[in-house]
Amino acid sequence: MGKAINSFIIATGLLGCILSTTLTGYAQPNKDSLSVVPTQKDTLLDQNWYYNLETDFNGHLDNPLKLLQGRLPGLLISHPGSDPNRQFDVRLRGFNTLLNNEQPLYIVDGVPDIPFSLVDPRDIASIKVAKNASVAQWGLRGARGVIHIHTQPAQASKPTIRFRSYLAMEQPGRSYNVLDAINYLLQQEKIFGSYNRPSPENNDWIEIITQTTLSTVNSLSISGGTNALHYRGALNTRNIEEIALNKGYDKLNGRIRLGSTLLNEQLDLGLNLSRSSKQSKIGFREAFQYAISFNPTVPREIDNPQFGGYYQQPVYDYYNPLAILEQNQHDGNDRLASGTFTGTYQFDSKLKGLSAHLLLSETREELFRGEFYPADSFFRGYDSNGYSRTETDTKTNRMADIHFNWNAPLHESITLNADMGFSAQNLYYRHVFKEARNLSAADSYTVIEDKNVTNMGGPQEVDENDHQLTAFWGTTRISNDTWYLDMGLRYEGSSYLGEENKWGLFPYFQAGFDLDNLLNFSFADSWLIRGGYGIAGNVPKTTVGLRPSMNHVATTFRMGNIFLPTRKCRVKTQT
């Protein structure tokens, strides 16, 4: 085991002063486990939280956000229902807890707005969480907090092939305490004075709709190469079963990173390609609701085709939970692809410490959700003589970034690190909603993808948005082993905002000082004073209002997302 130290941190800002105590631990990681290791004192001065993740861990971690749960103060991560097909709710303490409940800005290998699901946990090298004044570096989107993810790089080394496999079995640990058939009938007799038992059934509906699961995770990685060409490729597969019947997903994730160092190590080129696909059986959470309340004395199925052979009692909001899961479909199909090219040039000795950086990136994402309820399904299909709906989200993210960096000593142990750059980003979003009724039992949700749904008794709605973000920015850090001073300014505009509110100016500064380097405290390894002030923005994603909708009868107006010419960025001061 390594050494455990206490770090007493005083954070000061223009809006107040906070005194906090943290415990920082260092330990030798187990090779077969996930290791979360904070870096040394320089990153404590940096006022951000860094986590370096060992590459050779095993475990059923299907989402990288699970790596951060419960590890950082002010970072709240929840997963309602622990459903593997539901997104995590992530909140960084501050502005987004008051307005919009926005997710943080995710940045993967330097590219913002990259879907978190594109990254497999086994491909992550480190995670950095920023929620202080430095989030102003991201201007219009910084107020939500920023989470940086760096994937495993391609490095020159001997060829290495690694394969890992993981097998997991799960079963329900606890269940609701509900009445069995005998006690149910006794309660019925107590209330009504008599009871009518329709059959000798004794069904525990929770047990009926759950199962023992078997999930597998496989990972193959290949790395190596020389300075002229180094590479890393990874392929990850996940076959995950859910406790509920007919729920789970199959996921395939692949990533290739290539690098090349040329011109006497002055030029570094990189290519990062990734692809992910996920086939999901989303199922119906409502089945558990009705499994608690449904009559345990009735049979699961009966010889009656009215409801597909399942027993149903045709009263309001009362459904056979097994029929919900076995008769209906609720599936998902996600496809994501991303490509990033990077180039770095180190200038010669006449301009020592000066480098130029180029980043070009494009990400495409398509998310499909389909639901189908046959005409004999009492749950949502019976009243519509067969009902189906689909939703498709298409997103494209294109980005170009060029910046210059100068890293040079100023005086003895004092160094200067300055960046200045320009970035442009195009974000395209399209949402298509379709629904149809009067479908045959042989159909599925795919039928309304192939036909004109306006002739099938259902509307087709389209939301579309295409906007650009342009930014000019600069940052400067002056530091040594004891203190640091950061300053930065970002001038950013978005076509998503109203004409008079397109541009914003986002400055910040922050500083830190380690008293222990001067006073050598015996009771603590570090005593840090640090604080900062910055202005960051939060662009509202949606404005709700009436928008036109075409259906088979006429043009109607429904509640939805509209554009307002007065839309503007919300601004937060961050310390």
Side-chain angles (χ1 to χ4, degrees), residues 102-272:
E102 297 275 358
Q103 298 278 333
L105 175 65
Y106 297 113
I107 301 174
V108 179
D109 292 326
V111 182
D113 292 305
I114 294 293
F116 220 52
S117 56
L118 187 63
V119 184
D120 191 274
R122 295 179 185 272
D123 291 333
I124 294 178
S126 66
I127 298 177
K128 168 187 169 183
V129 179
K131 58 186 183 72
N132 50 35
S134 67
V135 298
Q137 296 180 59
W138 290 97
L140 292 170
R141 296 164 290 179
R144 296 174 276 158
V146 182
I147 296 180
H148 299 261
I149 301 172
H150 296 280
T151 60
Q152 298 290 340
Q155 296 177 331
S157 64
K158 294 181 179 180
T160 302
I161 300 176
R162 175 177 293 168
F163 175 78
R164 289 165 292 178
S165 186
Y166 179 79
L167 180 68
M169 295 183 66
E170 293 180 292
Q171 62 182 13
R174 292 184 298 174
S175 183
Y176 289 98
N177 185 17
V178 297
L179 297 175
D180 60 14
I182 298 299
N183 286 293
Y184 181 89
L185 294 173
L186 290 175
Q187 289 295 322
Q188 191 178 57
E189 182 180 20
K190 182 183 299 184
I191 296 172
F192 300 106
S194 64
Y195 61 85
N196 178 25
R197 183 172 183 173
S199 71
E201 299 287 341
N202 184 14
N203 288 317
D204 183 341
W205 293 104
I206 293 289
E207 183 178 336
I208 289 172
I209 66 171
T210 57
Q211 61 182 345
T212 298
T213 69
L214 182 65
S215 300
T216 58
V217 179
N218 299 296
S219 176
L220 175 66
S221 64
I222 303 174
S223 60
T226 63
N227 283 338
L229 179 63
H230 36 279
Y231 57 87
R232 185 183 188 275
L235 185 66
N236 304 284
T237 65
R238 296 177 181 272
N239 176 255
I240 307 300
E241 291 184 347
E242 175 56 38
I243 292 293
L245 295 177
N246 297 326
K247 291 189 67 174
Y249 67 85
D250 294 316
K251 185 175 182 180
L252 176 65
N253 179 282
R255 182 177 295 272
I256 297 175
R257 296 198 68 166
L258 302 175
S260 180
T261 303
L262 306 170
L263 304 179
N264 295 322
E265 299 187 351
Q266 285 185 267
L267 179 63
D268 286 314
L269 301 176
L271 183 65
N272 189 349

Side-chain angles (χ1 to χ4, degrees), residues 324-342:
I324 292 176
L325 295 177
E326 293 189 339
Q327 279 189 291
N328 309 294
Q329 294 175 272
H330 186 191
D331 299 336
N333 185 1
D334 301 346
R335 294 194 298 270
L336 302 95
S338 177
T340 302
F341 171 81
T342 58

Side-chain angles (χ1 to χ4, degrees), residues 459-526:
Q460 175 174 328
E461 301 173 7
V462 178
D463 286 333
E464 197 166 20
N465 183 273
D466 190 357
H467 67 279
Q468 289 74 40
L469 285 163
T470 305
F472 304 87
W473 52 274
T475 63
T476 300
R477 160 167 285 209
I478 303 174
S479 64
N480 66 6
D481 292 338
T482 302
W483 57 268
Y484 76 91
L485 175 65
D486 282 352
M487 295 174 288
L489 184 67
R490 187 179 184 94
Y491 183 61
E492 187 170 34
S494 171
S495 62
Y496 187 70
L497 301 175
E499 190 64 35
E500 298 180 357
N501 304 301
K502 287 187 181 298
W503 292 89
L505 193 64
F506 304 95
Y508 82 94
F509 70 88
Q510 58 185 14
F513 191 85
D514 187 359
L515 292 176
D516 183 61
N517 276 3
L518 295 177
L519 304 178
N520 295 319
F521 295 120
S522 60
F523 56 87
D525 291 85
S526 61

Side-chain angles (χ1 to χ4, degrees), residues 74-117:
L75 177 62
L76 307 177
I77 300 177
S78 61
H79 192 198
S82 297
D83 188 337
N85 288 306
R86 293 189 68 182
Q87 297 294 323
F88 283 72
D89 291 330
V90 182
R91 302 288 179 266
L92 274 170
R93 182 177 57 208
F95 186 69
N96 57 19
T97 62
L98 301 177
L99 293 173
N100 270 5
N101 286 328
E102 297 275 358
Q103 298 278 333
L105 175 65
Y106 297 113
I107 301 174
V108 179
D109 292 326
V111 182
D113 292 305
I114 294 293
F116 220 52
S117 56

Side-chain angles (χ1 to χ4, degrees), residues 294-295 298 307 311-316 318-319 378:
F294 206 63
N295 189 339
V298 300
F307 298 119
Y311 177 89
Q312 297 284 5
Q313 187 173 347
V315 296
Y316 175 73
Y318 197 65
Y319 304 102
F378 186 52

Side-chain angles (χ1 to χ4, degrees), residues 37-79:
V37 184
T39 53
Q40 301 296 328
K41 188 180 296 184
D42 57 343
T43 56
L44 290 175
L45 276 172
D46 200 15
Q47 210 176 4
N48 292 313
W49 294 89
Y50 291 79
Y51 285 90
N52 297 325
L53 308 178
E54 288 293 312
T55 61
D56 52 349
F57 69 87
N58 269 309
H60 179 23
L61 290 170
D62 55 323
N63 191 305
L65 287 171
K66 288 185 178 180
L67 303 174
L68 300 178
Q69 273 186 305
R71 299 184 186 274
L72 300 180
L75 177 62
L76 307 177
I77 300 177
S78 61
H79 192 198

